[in-house]
Amino acid sequence: MKNNLHQPITGTIQTPQETTRLLKRVMKLFIIICIITSGGGIYYLVSEPPHWILASTLLFVGIGFAFLIFLIIYFIKKMKRYEVDYELNEQGYFQVKRDLRTGTKENIAVPFDSIHEIIVGNNMIDRSQYRVVQFYTGAFMVVKYGNNQICFIEFFDNNELYQWIDRFHDKGIPLFKTYHDLRPAYLDAQKMSADFNQLEGKPWNGKNLPITLGETIQGNPFPPWEPESEKASGKQKPDMDIREQTKKWEFRTGVVLFIYAVILGFTVMPWQPVDEDNVWVMGSLFILGVFILNILLPIILVFWRAYTKWYLPIVYFAVILIGHSLPVWFVSLFVDTPPLLLTVFSFDLLVFLFGWIPGFILVKILKGIYHFWKYNLRRES
């Protein structure tokens, strides 16, 4: 090994960062909904005459979302229980993972003389918006050491990555580079599946990465890596194929909801019996054919799929609101019907708040429990 001296590189990481960011986005959405529903409830409560049913419904929904906001805050604090301190010095790479709640520690020591090779690949984080495919660029350093042991280190800054590479290069450790995106396999590895001992790369001098780290780019130019054993079994589907299928079904479901909403807006809603407050008197057929069916369509067709966007219920709410309101308004120009636009909005809000929001959350929770159970069963077998 060479004796070039470098200053130690130290730092602290709180995990898991991605899940925390997702929870914060959901919390922002719930805050907006809470403000809108609570404000609407207060407005209809103090209006003349007061709309007691609508006001109490909106206030109840606002209180429910306020509870969910506090619940998310609790989970965010709980998820920040892990803290990782790391140091790369003249002896090797050392890591201490602390459980802030229990006080226990887990140490990882990777001396330079125990490292067989280092492979650097791409770490593309999906930041796609609706129908806009975007990725945040990063790099994965896969350190193979000891007896078939693997250590992962993430980078989102070129200068930081090259500082680490210089230290490994000066110690004479073989460096390799792969063109593949390692993130799908890394996430799979956390579920005890992908074997990174099968990862190979081309010899690398530690310079000239193909992309700049820490940027957002359109699309992912790097193919996902998967172990040869999984390629042979055909067990793993290409990641991009799953995303494309999800996007197709998101769009198809939106079209179905809009067409169904327009049909109902012309044929059912203007002629539905109303009470003295111009609120629909919903019989069992109306509840089953309109309310329940509107709720079930996205749950059955798209919510359970991988890569569904968290704001998809909001998009579908806008779709059915437009699909219901325009025909009802058009019919009112030619037929003497009660003013129903407020009733349409209230009905669609019920579908959104009491159907799609809890349905989306419940489906994701059940899917997470299923995958947790499946991979833990695989670990025990």
Side-chain angles (χ1 to χ4, degrees), residues 6-273:
H6 297 279
Q7 291 294 324
I9 299 176
T10 60
T12 301
I13 303 173
Q14 286 187 332
T15 58
Q17 296 179 359
E18 284 187 48
T19 306
T20 302
R21 282 195 293 265
L22 177 61
L23 284 175
K24 287 182 178 179
R25 291 178 183 176
V26 175
M27 184 175 66
K28 290 178 182 177
L29 168 64
F30 285 0
I31 290 173
I32 295 172
I33 296 174
C34 182
I35 293 173
I36 293 174
T37 53
S38 299
I42 294 172
Y43 171 79
Y44 288 114
L45 188 64
V46 301
S47 62
E48 292 293 340
H51 299 272
W52 297 105
I53 297 178
L54 184 57
S56 58
T57 301
L58 290 173
L59 288 173
F60 174 78
V61 172
I63 293 172
F65 274 93
F67 172 76
L68 290 176
I69 291 167
F70 284 109
L71 196 63
I72 291 175
I73 293 173
Y74 167 77
F75 277 117
I76 289 176
K77 290 183 176 180
K78 186 176 180 181
M79 293 182 69
K80 287 186 176 180
R81 58 181 288 191
Y82 294 111
E83 195 171 65
V84 179
D85 291 333
Y86 63 86
E87 179 175 344
L88 179 66
N89 55 36
E90 288 301 308
Q91 283 72 48
Y93 175 69
F94 303 91
Q95 176 180 298
V96 179
K97 183 178 181 180
R98 297 195 305 273
D99 189 324
L100 302 177
R101 191 174 67 180
T102 64
T104 58
K105 296 181 180 180
E106 178 184 349
N107 296 293
I108 295 178
V110 187
F112 285 125
D113 56 10
S114 70
I115 300 176
H116 311 311
E117 63 182 20
I118 290 176
I119 304 176
V120 175
N122 297 291
N123 177 22
M124 306 297 289
I125 299 178
D126 193 349
R127 296 278 181 84
S128 299
Q129 304 294 326
Y130 187 69
R131 299 186 67 79
V132 178
V133 182
Q134 294 180 328
F135 286 85
Y136 187 71
T137 59
F140 259 127
M141 178 182 288
V142 181
V143 181
K144 297 184 180 182
Y145 70 101
N147 183 21
N148 293 327
Q149 293 174 284
I150 299 292
C151 180
F152 301 98
I153 306 171
E154 289 185 282
F155 296 91
F156 298 98
D157 180 81
N158 288 74
N159 292 330
E160 183 184 4
L161 173 61
Y162 291 137
Q163 289 176 11
W164 285 61
I165 290 296
D166 288 342
R167 286 157 173 77
F168 290 119
H169 185 267
D170 288 344
K171 299 300 181 180
I173 297 173
L175 299 175
F176 298 88
K177 181 174 67 175
T178 176
Y179 187 74
H180 288 89
D181 178 14
L182 302 183
R183 186 161 198 82
Y186 169 76
L187 296 177
D188 203 28
Q190 306 310 297
K191 303 168 186 173
M192 306 302 294
S193 179
D195 181 11
F196 269 85
N197 283 299
Q198 300 180 39
L199 177 65
E200 298 178 350
K202 296 181 180 180
W204 184 40
N205 61 1
K207 300 178 182 179
N208 300 324
L209 284 176
I211 58 172
T212 301
L213 305 185
E215 294 185 344
T216 300
I217 63 173
Q218 299 290 326
N220 184 359
F222 307 110
W225 174 80
E226 56 183 327
E228 292 296 329
S229 58
E230 294 190 2
K231 289 181 182 179
S233 64
K235 179 177 59 176
Q236 196 172 23
K237 293 183 179 180
D239 195 51
M240 289 303 295
D241 287 350
I242 300 175
R243 284 194 181 90
E244 290 301 323
Q245 285 296 321
T246 298
K247 289 176 184 176
K248 288 179 181 178
W249 278 102
E250 287 175 348
F251 179 75
R252 291 169 181 171
T253 304
V255 172
V256 170
L257 286 172
F258 183 75
I259 294 174
Y260 185 55
V262 170
I263 293 174
L264 293 176
F266 276 115
T267 61
V268 175
M269 291 182 170
W271 325 109
Q272 180 72 15

